[in-house]
Amino acid sequence: MFFVKLLQDTLPLHPSYFGAASQQYITDLLYTRNEGKNTGTMMIIAIIDIDDISEAKIMPGTGMAMYDISYRAIIWRPFRGEVVDGLMIPAELKYTVEGSTPAFTDNDDQTIERSSQVRLRIKGIRGEMGQMYAIGSIREDYLGCVFHQELFKDEEVNFTDTVML
């Protein structure tokens, strides 16, 4: 699910960047370091706005300035039982080259070709520092393959709304 969350971070600033543009540099650094960051439990999609930038604290011995920043961001956090769209290859399906194109099939009625968009229900999630892993299932009603890119070869298709699992 997507949420708006208040987050905090501490950013260092080298003495060579002290000056009139230091606030702008800190703001740019916050956006480049945190947008798109995967924390293991959530992914920061976009920073909405910055609520507060503290006064600089000079670190003894290095001369670096440390800024405490609080900001609001749109985050994505998956939950067990949530239905998501993504591009994936389930472990239960076996690769076969029978037919016109190579595909993954369970030798029943499900066939998923490469570049297919799949709708699945998340069964389990495990997070580590900077990485997130999920196991999903397509064995329910209205789940499974929902889009074959091969059907739209001549059209431009955008997968920006999909989640890579």
Side-chain angles (χ1 to χ4, degrees):
M1 282 191 178
F2 293 93
F3 298 99
V4 175
K5 186 172 182 176
L6 183 65
L7 299 170
Q8 295 181 348
D9 198 1
T10 302
L11 297 176
L13 184 66
H14 192 270
S16 64
Y17 294 104
F18 291 170
S22 62
Q23 290 287 85
Q24 182 62 41
Y25 181 76
I26 285 293
T27 302
D28 293 343
L29 186 63
L30 176 72
Y31 280 94
T32 57
R33 284 178 92 188
N34 291 341
E35 279 190 336
K37 182 178 176 184
N38 186 341
T39 65
T41 58
M42 65 182 175
M43 180 175 277
I44 300 172
I45 305 297
I47 295 174
I48 300 171
D49 62 358
I50 298 172
D51 288 341
D52 184 44
I53 299 177
S54 71
E55 292 293 321
K57 297 177 193 126
I58 305 298
M59 302 306 294
T62 64
M64 301 268 288
M66 300 300 279
Y67 289 90
D68 293 323
I69 301 173
S70 64
Y71 59 97
R72 291 184 326 134
I74 297 173
I75 65 161
W76 178 72
R77 182 170 182 210
F79 290 98
R80 220 173 128 217
E82 182 178 4
V83 175
V84 296
D85 287 355
L87 300 174
M88 62 166 282
I89 300 170
E92 300 88 37
L93 299 181
K94 304 296 182 216
Y95 186 73
T96 180
V97 291
E98 297 173 11
S100 62
T101 59
F104 291 86
T105 182
D106 62 357
N107 293 328
D108 197 11
D109 61 343
Q110 286 192 23
T111 301
I112 300 175
E113 297 176 3
R114 284 203 174 133
S115 302
S116 296
Q117 186 174 0
V118 179
R119 182 164 293 137
L120 64 114
R121 182 174 306 278
I122 296 176
K123 294 294 184 183
I125 302 167
R126 179 174 57 102
E128 295 177 3
M129 272 316 265
Q131 294 181 343
M132 200 178 323
Y133 302 97
I135 296 174
S137 172
I138 58 173
R139 296 200 183 270
E140 293 180 31
D141 290 340
Y142 307 107
L143 301 179
C145 187
V146 293
F147 179 77
H148 289 286
Q149 186 167 349
E150 284 79 19
L151 298 175
F152 299 94
K153 285 181 183 175
D154 298 333
E155 298 179 23
E156 184 176 325
V157 179
N158 188 358
F159 284 108
T160 57
D161 296 335
T162 61
V163 177
M164 300 295 277
L165 294 175

